[in-house]
Each structure stands twice: as C-alpha cells, then as structure tokens.
Amino acid sequence: MNVALPPQIEALTSQRTDLIASLRTRPRGLSWCAENTAIVDAVVAAVASSVCDGELPFCVVAVGGYGRNELSPYSDVDLAVVPAQEDPALLDPAVRAFFRTMGEAARVLQLDLGYSFLLISDIPGLDGKSRTGLLDSRLVAGPAETYGVLSDALAETMPPGEFILEKIREREEAFRRYHDTPLVVEPHLKEGAGGLRCFQTASWLGMAIGQQALRKTRSYSYVTRVRNLLHAHVERKNDHLTRVRRDELAEAYGLDPYELSSTLCKASLELHRAYGRAKDSIQEARFVLAKGVYAARGEVRIQRDADAGEAAAGIAIATDLGLRVEDLQTSAGDTLSGSAAAFSLSHGEATVRNLDRAGLLERLVPELTACRTLVSRDNVHVYTVFEHSLRVIRALDSLQPGTSLGNLMDSITSLQPLYIAALLHDVGKIDPDRSHSEVGAEMARCACIRWGLGGEFVSLVEWLVKEHLTMARFIRLRDIENPETVREFAAIVQTPERLDLLTLLTWADVNAVSASAWTQAQETFLRTLHEATTAVLHEGSPPEADAPTYRQRIARQFRGADVDEAKVQEFIDSLPAHYLSSTSPALARLHYHLAEKAKGGETIVDVHALPELGATEFTICCQDAPALLSRLLGVLYAYDLTLLGVRASTTQSEPPVALDVLTASFGGRVVPSATAAQVANALTAVIEARQDPREILVARGKNPDRIQRAFSYTFVKGTPAVVEIRAPRGRGMPYRFSHRFSELGWNILAARVGQWADSAAAAFYLVGPEGRALTEEEVAQCLKDPVAG
C-alpha cells in the first residue's frame, strides 16, 4: 500500500545525504550528530503534523541516542509514542497513521526506526532498558503537558538500587563480550570498555541518585567522531573498529593509522575513568535500595516499619553493589512480601549471610536458623546443617558458563526454586525420628505457603527437598548403563525441569558435605544419568528393550571383518539380554575375540585405566565356573581396592564364557600400574584354580570368615531384581554378599558399590537359577541371618 509522505521529506532526505557526504571533507563528532538529529526531528514533526488535524492526541518522544541528540549516520532512531488520553477511538487512527507514515519516511531516509507505544500507567512496571532510554528522552512533537506528566512519573517510580545494579551488570557483561580495557587496538566504540556506553552509564548512575546528567567531554566527542566516520565509510551501522577499517579510515581522511589508534585510546581511557568514578561514588551516595531500605555512605539502613521481604530485597541489591551490611539485627515490620523474600533468598551466599547479619534470615526462614548448631547424625558432614546449607548455595554460585553444569544452570529460566530448596533441603534433620527428606519437604511447603508463593512453585520446591537424595543414590548405587534404571529414574523426575534442577542440587549438596565427598566417578555418572534421562523424557514414551534390534546393531560391527560369520552369529545369539542392552557394539566386538580365546581354555584379564572416573577397569574373560564372581571380588578386597561397579555376563554357549567387568579405584584414584599388575596376576591365579582367594585374603591381613551382622536392605521387584544393601563401612561387604548369593545359585548381572550417608552401600542386580525372577520372600529368607564371607 502506497503511503503519502509530507512534501518536506524530499528536501530533508537531500539534506541528510549531503550531511553524510560532508564527513569526507569535514569530519566531526557531536556537532555533526546534532545536525543529523535536527533533520530527523524535522521528519518526525512533519509526519506528526500530517496525520492529525489540530493538536496531536499523543506526544512523540525521542529516547536513547536520539534523545541525546547523538545520531551517528546509521544509528537507530528510537521513538516512544505517549497518548495524552487513553481513548482508543481517538488514538487508534492517528497512531496507526503515524507509525505507517513514519515507517515509510524512515525507509526513504535510510533510517533504522524503533518505536514503542507507552502509557503513563505503564511507567511503574518499566524494565531497566526502557527506563534507561527514557532518562535521555526529550519531546519532539505533541503536547508538552503529556511529556511533563511522563517525566514526573519516571522520576517518582525510579528504583535507584535496582537500576544501578542493572546498569553495572550490563557493563560487566559488555566487558566480557567485547573487551574489558580501553587500551585495545580493535575497540568496540560503543559497548567495549572505554566506549561511549561507559560515559553514558556514568551519567545514568548519577541521574539515578539525583545528580545532573554529565556534560559531554572532548574525549566523548572524539570517539563519536570516529564512530561517525566508520558509519559513513561502511555505509551501515558498525561500531567495531578493526585494524582493516582503521587503516581504510586513515587513508580516506589523510590520517596516520597509529596516531588515530593512540588518540582513540587516550579518549577511551577518559571515558572508562568516568564510569569508574561514577561507580565509586555509589559507595558515598544516599539513595533508596528498596522500599524501607536505603544506602548512606556505603552502608545499609533499614526503617523499623519496613516489610521484611522488601528489606531482604534491599539487602540483596546492597550485597551485589558491595555496600556494607553491619550486624543490624533489625526489627522489620510484621508484613512479609513473599516474592521479595524469594528474590533475596535466591540471590546467592553473600546475600544470605548478610540477611543473617542483619537479623532478617530469622524472620524469613526460621526453619533454617533453628539448625544453626544442629550437627548431622553421621560422620561425613563436616559442618552443621545451617553451614552446610549455605555452602550448598556457595557451590551453586561457583558454577560458570562454559562447563557442562554451568551451561545447564545458565539454561534454566528461574533459579529461585533451586536456591530455596537448597536452603531448606536438610532442615528436616531437626526431627531425628523421621526421614529428614520427608520432614524437610513438609517444612518447605509450609515456608513457601507462608510467603504466599504460587502453587506450582510450592510443589516444585517441596518435590526437590523430598527427592534431594534420590539422584545421588542412583549414581552411587544403581547401574545407570541399564536402560531400565534410566526409565525408573525418568518416572521419578517426570519433567526435564525437575531433572535439571535436581541434577544441580545433587552436585552442590554432595560437594558441600566435605572436600573429598565428590569424586570424578560421581561427576561422570551424574552427567551420564542426566543425558540418558533427558533423552527418555524427550521421547515421551520410551521404547521397550528389543533384543533382536540390539543383536542387529552388534552384528553390523563385524561387517567386512575377517571373521567366521557362523561363530560371530553364535556368539551374538549366546549373549544375555542385559548384556545386549548395556554394552556398546564396539565393545561387544572386542569381547567376541576374547570369548573365542576363552572357549579354547585361555584366561584373559585386561587392565584399562579410566582417568575420567579416577578408576581402573579389570575385564575378565574365561570359562564360567560356580561362584566365579565372588572369588574375583575376594581378590579386590584383599588388595584394598574400592569396588565401584560390576558388570557380569555369561554367554549361553558351550562351554559358557564369563565376561565380567570390575571397576575399582585405589584411594579415589586410578589403581597404580604395579598394584594393577599384581591384582591381574592374582585374578588369573584364582580363575585357573592355582590359588584360593581365601589364601590371598589371609596373606594380606583380611579375615575371609568375618561375619556381616549389621546391615539393612531394600528390594526392587523386576528381572533382574535390585537389592540395595546398607552396612557399616568396609570394603569386604560386596565380597561377603556376593558369596551368599552364589551359594544359592543366584546370578549377579551387575552391581554398584559406594557410600551412602556414612554407610557402605551396594546395589546387586540379581536373577535366580536359569534367569528366573527372584521374589521378595526369597530375598528376605536369604538375608534374614548374618552374612559370612
């Protein structure tokens, strides 16, 4: 649709073209920008006049760089249309006509136009970016009274503390993205350190605390001048002065390129110092941080009748600004804004400690402060419940983008449920007679309801506290390479959001227990379980394990290989279902060659270091024999290795071949090569019946007949069944229980071993003779008496 432009537009377009061309003969900075801005003002005024007979029912406000009279050749032209009255019948036709005509005029003049429609009633809820643009605003067309009301509303609703913090964070992010020093050869003239934005931010910081806007300096004009030349040279908006562009400008304008860079560095350095001075002045200024909270000479002051939540939000802002929070022990008012409380409590460790110093933490979360001196009833936590909880927050604060968990955290829309769950996850330990996860979940729910938070938020925090041990239990004790384990875990978490939050909480919780609580193996298992569960959740309804499909995948590994196809197929057909679903095709190909040697009577013990796990893998391939796995575990126990996991398989061939993989560590590290060689020799001797594992145990100071009296267990029905066992710490527990299971003719398909709440723990994946499912009654009968080695 053709749009009729005011007749002045043609002449104004010609003026702007000539003005840009003039830069080649007369390079200028702010004075040139003022002339360019005046041309755009004339365009706006002409368009506004053309769309309405009589007085405009709205005012047109220049914002941002346009409002500052700083339009470089291809700067964005940002406008805000503010109605005098909120009357749609009067407004709609005029506003539509203005935007339509202004858009066509911008196209003709080669201007990038940005505009917004702003009601006076919108001012209190403005985001920081919109508020910043309006700080530099000025009236271009329309009733001055309306613009006056706008300016008053902007000043009255300014949240100084929040605004200042946002501007400083924007600068820090820009420094990370571009450059953090003005002394660079290829500067970003607008956003980098020493760019125009540094001086502009310095001015905004002052305005936020009631000062006048900064007067523009020669250095500011010089950087603007170089920016004008760069725009004109490349004929588009471009604020990155590369070496190539610098040399082109120097040649076009008869300048020395190195002198240009040096002069620009000097000017940029002054702009950066202006920002630094403005930032430092915050420490001496008096301004509002939140309702009822203000800063005065670098310290925080809280009024007696302040809402506790608002006061906490003020402390959070003050903490980020580096203001001092003394031991105020304030008596905040009776009211509590729940949203402000959640904001402050999820603001990081430094804020929470300052809330405690100010006496506000007791008001917000008495459940946590009641645990200040509460000691956990185990021997693994080195801090009280209160201190541990704050160190969980510290761990979360430490995560940085660029790491797998840091990127995961960065992808989460709202971290408030995570931080609040972290603070409350152990408060249930106040009741020693019940599960602290259950008690804590109840207390977390009550706290969130007391704050008046929404139902979904409450449910998520409650669930995180209730399940905060679940993922740690899975990565320590369950076979996460088994698809059924992943499906079971996915059924617990149910949504990707819950999975992501629980993953972060698990990592932070274990890290905060003690310096040695988190291991490389747990790091790998956590990442593996998160990735596998994410895939299951995204599939919606995961397919059941399909043995024929797995066999086809393995068979494809042998295509083109110089092997006996009949023997390969016999090997593949002989593999048990659990092996098929949890072993990679490439590894199965290796196992085929080992199995062929084993069928001929050879014993293979392969040792492979796993630095990423801090462990060593012993792969045993030999002809199967009764109680073989129990005897192998006896060797690891004798050599003081910490067993992390077992994967045991037996081919249904003649003779049957055992393919067992034992993963172990030595003091949380890879098993030293000399020790690994000794263990491999001992395993071979035991397999070949040249030595009894009991002899090795006795020779190395272990009692093979020690009785396991104290233990508890849980049973998970299935094929295989999962039996999780907890017992006092000791490396011999897996050996003793595997011996008991072997006596009954049960097969251990897999096992995981670790520590759980100051106890040794293990999960055994078991089937009965001939692969049948075990019943809960059979397991109870098996474990009713003490277990001997």
Side-chain angles (χ1 to χ4, degrees):
M1 181 175 62
N2 293 327
V3 177
L5 294 176
Q8 304 97 308
I9 298 300
E10 183 176 353
L12 292 169
T13 302
S14 178
Q15 288 181 36
R16 176 170 150 77
T17 301
D18 293 343
L19 185 64
I20 293 175
S22 73
L23 282 170
R24 296 195 174 276
T25 56
R26 189 186 172 203
R28 289 184 293 152
L30 289 174
S31 63
W32 187 95
C33 291
E35 291 183 28
N36 188 36
T37 302
I39 293 173
V40 177
D41 283 354
V43 172
V44 173
V47 170
S49 177
S50 71
V51 301
C52 187
D53 294 331
E55 186 176 40
L56 278 175
F58 54 82
C59 66
V60 183
V61 179
V63 300
Y66 180 32
R68 293 190 299 271
N69 292 292
E70 293 178 11
L71 286 181
S72 288
Y74 294 97
S75 292
D76 294 339
V77 176
D78 293 317
L79 300 171
V81 171
V82 183
Q85 298 178 7
E86 298 181 18
D87 183 351
L90 182 65
L91 279 174
D92 285 356
V95 171
R96 290 177 185 274
F98 174 77
F99 283 153
R100 185 168 58 248
T101 308
M102 192 64 217
E104 179 61 19
R107 186 189 66 78
V108 171
L109 273 84
Q110 295 184 303
L111 299 171
D112 285 333
L113 181 65
Y115 50 79
S116 61
F117 183 79
L118 181 64
L119 300 175
I120 300 295
S121 58
D122 293 335
I123 298 300
L126 281 181
D127 59 46
K129 183 177 181 181
S130 300
R131 191 174 288 277
T132 304
L134 287 169
L135 276 181
D136 294 325
S137 67
R138 58 187 176 81
L139 180 64
V140 180
E145 296 82 0
T146 301
Y147 179 68
V149 174
L150 172 72
S151 298
D152 290 343
L154 187 68
E156 291 168 1
T157 61
M158 167 66 78
E162 184 179 334
F163 178 82
I164 289 168
L165 180 59
E166 182 174 333
K167 294 302 104 181
I168 291 175
R169 283 179 170 170
E170 285 177 0
R171 283 287 75 217
E172 291 172 350
E173 175 58 32
F175 294 161
R176 283 192 293 270
R177 183 176 179 183
Y178 298 102
H179 48 86
D180 59 3
T181 172
L183 305 179
V184 294
V185 177
E186 296 188 325
H188 195 279
L189 301 174
K190 181 179 178 182
E191 295 290 354
L196 298 172
R197 192 66 87 201
C198 275
F199 188 87
Q200 293 160 10
T201 302
S203 185
W204 297 331
L205 294 180
M207 294 166 73
I209 57 177
Q211 298 175 359
Q212 295 294 318
L214 291 180
R215 292 174 60 89
K216 293 159 190 171
T217 64
R218 282 190 170 189
S219 293
Y220 189 83
S221 185
Y222 183 81
V223 176
T224 303
R225 173 186 173 186
V226 175
R227 186 186 188 214
N228 290 343
L229 300 183
L230 182 58
H231 278 212
H233 179 71
V234 300
E235 297 182 345
R236 59 183 172 83
K237 181 171 66 175
N238 181 2
D239 298 325
H240 186 198
L241 185 64
T242 63
R243 284 183 173 87
V244 172
R245 294 302 188 196
R246 178 202 64 184
D247 293 347
E248 291 173 354
L249 291 184
E251 182 178 357
Y253 296 100
L255 304 172
D256 180 275
Y258 301 104
E259 183 178 347
L260 170 61
S261 284
S262 180
T263 305
L264 187 60
C265 281
K266 292 176 183 177
S268 298
L269 193 59
E270 182 181 317
L271 302 191
H272 195 55
R273 285 170 176 164
Y275 168 68
R277 288 192 297 270
K279 189 177 174 184
D280 291 342
S281 71
I282 298 300
Q283 299 295 321
E284 299 300 320
R286 180 185 176 94
F287 58 94
V288 174
L289 291 164
K291 187 177 180 181
V293 188
Y294 61 93
R297 299 187 65 81
E299 293 185 357
V300 178
R301 298 287 181 263
I302 302 175
Q303 296 174 349
R304 284 189 171 276
D305 59 349
D307 175 281
E310 293 287 356
I315 293 291
I317 294 170
T319 302
D320 285 345
L321 289 175
L323 301 177
R324 293 188 300 279
V325 179
E326 303 296 341
D327 293 334
L328 302 175
Q329 296 304 312
T330 183
S331 55
D334 294 332
T335 59
L336 193 157
S337 169
S339 59
F343 165 80
S344 62
L345 291 172
S346 59
H347 220 65
E349 182 195 8
T351 292
V352 175
R353 291 195 184 276
N354 275 340
L355 290 173
D356 191 36
R357 187 172 293 114
L360 283 168
L361 195 62
E362 169 73 24
R363 176 76 172 82
L364 299 180
V365 204
E367 297 90 346
L368 179 61
T369 55
C371 300
R372 190 181 301 277
T373 59
L374 179 63
V375 176
S376 295
R377 293 171 179 264
D378 58 46
N379 294 322
V380 294
H381 281 78
V382 300
Y383 306 107
T384 67
V385 169
F386 177 88
E387 183 64 24
H388 166 72
S389 300
L390 267 62
R391 287 175 183 257
V392 174
I393 299 298
R394 178 185 298 181
L396 291 173
D397 290 346
S398 73
L399 290 172
Q400 297 295 323
T403 63
S404 59
L405 289 177
N407 291 337
L408 176 62
M409 190 164 177
D410 201 42
S411 71
I412 294 173
T413 304
S414 174
L415 292 171
Q416 287 189 7
L418 173 63
Y419 272 81
I420 291 174
L423 285 174
L424 296 172
H425 76 286
D426 269 358
V427 295
K429 289 182 177 179
I430 201 78
D431 182 353
D433 298 324
R434 295 176 58 199
S435 161
H436 80 274
S437 297
E438 297 284 348
V439 175
E442 295 168 6
M443 296 172 73
R445 180 175 184 82
C446 290
C448 291
I449 291 174
R450 184 174 71 243
W451 298 333
L453 301 177
E456 290 186 8
F457 187 101
V458 175
S459 296
L460 182 54
V461 172
E462 180 184 17
W463 182 87
L464 284 169
V465 174
K466 181 179 179 181
E467 301 292 346
H468 76 272
L469 299 175
T470 300
M471 194 172 192
R473 180 168 60 86
F474 266 73
I475 65 173
R476 283 171 169 162
L477 301 179
R478 302 298 292 276
D479 181 8
I480 59 174
E481 294 181 359
N482 187 323
E484 291 304 321
T485 300
V486 178
R487 290 185 179 89
E488 181 186 349
F489 185 66
I492 294 172
V493 298
Q494 296 184 341
T495 69
E497 179 189 23
R498 284 182 169 187
L499 170 64
D500 293 346
L501 293 174
L502 185 59
T503 299
L504 293 167
L505 180 58
T506 300
W507 177 86
D509 184 20
V510 179
N511 269 277
V513 167
S514 67
S516 60
W518 189 253
T519 64
Q520 288 177 286
Q522 290 180 69
E523 182 89 25
T524 301
F525 294 150
L526 182 81
R527 185 170 60 251
T528 300
L529 182 57
H530 177 269
E531 291 173 354
T533 308
T534 297
V536 169
L537 291 174
H538 285 162
E539 289 173 7
S541 178
E544 295 298 321
D546 181 6
T549 299
Y550 288 131
R551 286 192 166 92
Q552 290 174 13
R553 288 173 52 202
I554 293 174
R556 285 196 290 270
Q557 280 288 318
F558 292 88
R559 289 177 182 171
D562 185 17
V563 293
D564 187 321
E565 292 185 7
K567 288 185 177 181
V568 167
Q569 192 60 51
E570 179 186 349
F571 170 73
I572 294 173
D573 291 342
S574 74
L575 295 171
H578 75 275
Y579 178 98
L580 295 168
S581 63
S582 57
T583 306
S584 70
L587 187 58
R589 178 174 176 172
L590 171 63
H591 287 171
Y592 162 75
H593 294 288
L594 298 181
E596 284 297 297
K597 294 179 180 179
K599 286 170 68 175
E602 188 174 343
T603 298
I604 300 99
V605 178
D606 180 70
V607 181
H608 179 61
L610 301 172
E612 70 279 8
L613 287 182
T616 297
E617 197 171 75
F618 295 88
T619 300
I620 295 97
C621 190
C622 62
Q623 292 185 13
D624 196 24
L628 174 64
L629 180 59
S630 173
R631 291 186 285 128
L632 299 178
L633 295 183
V635 173
L636 267 59
Y637 174 35
Y639 279 86
D640 287 316
L641 300 190
T642 299
L643 182 67
L644 299 179
V646 175
R647 300 196 64 77
S649 301
T650 303
T651 64
Q652 300 169 4
S653 59
E654 188 55 44
V657 171
L659 277 169
D660 295 344
V661 181
L662 313 181
T663 307
S665 68
F666 186 82
R669 303 184 304 276
V670 170
V671 179
S673 57
T675 303
Q678 289 179 331
V679 172
N681 290 335
L683 289 170
T684 303
V686 166
I687 293 167
E688 295 176 349
R690 291 185 283 106
Q691 196 168 12
D692 191 302
R694 294 173 61 85
E695 297 174 1
I696 301 175
L697 285 164
V698 171
R700 296 189 63 83
K702 302 292 190 301
N703 178 8
D705 298 317
R706 181 178 175 182
I707 304 296
Q708 188 84 47
R709 299 182 185 279
F711 65 89
S712 61
Y713 75 92
T714 58
F715 174 83
V716 181
K717 182 180 179 181
T719 307
V722 182
V723 178
E724 291 186 8
I725 298 170
R726 288 177 58 180
R729 284 193 171 193
R731 293 189 180 90
M733 184 266 279
Y735 162 67
R736 286 186 281 274
F737 279 92
S738 65
H739 184 74
R740 168 65 61 86
F741 299 147
S742 297
E743 287 180 329
L744 297 173
W746 297 357
N747 291 318
I748 301 172
L749 305 185
R752 286 289 306 281
V753 181
Q755 283 75 45
W756 185 247
D758 200 31
S759 300
F764 292 93
Y765 289 69
L766 301 166
V767 293
E770 299 180 355
R772 69 170 177 81
L774 294 173
T775 67
E776 188 170 3
E777 292 73 18
E778 285 179 290
V779 172
Q781 182 66 28
C782 167
L783 299 178
K784 70 176 183 177
D785 298 322
V787 176

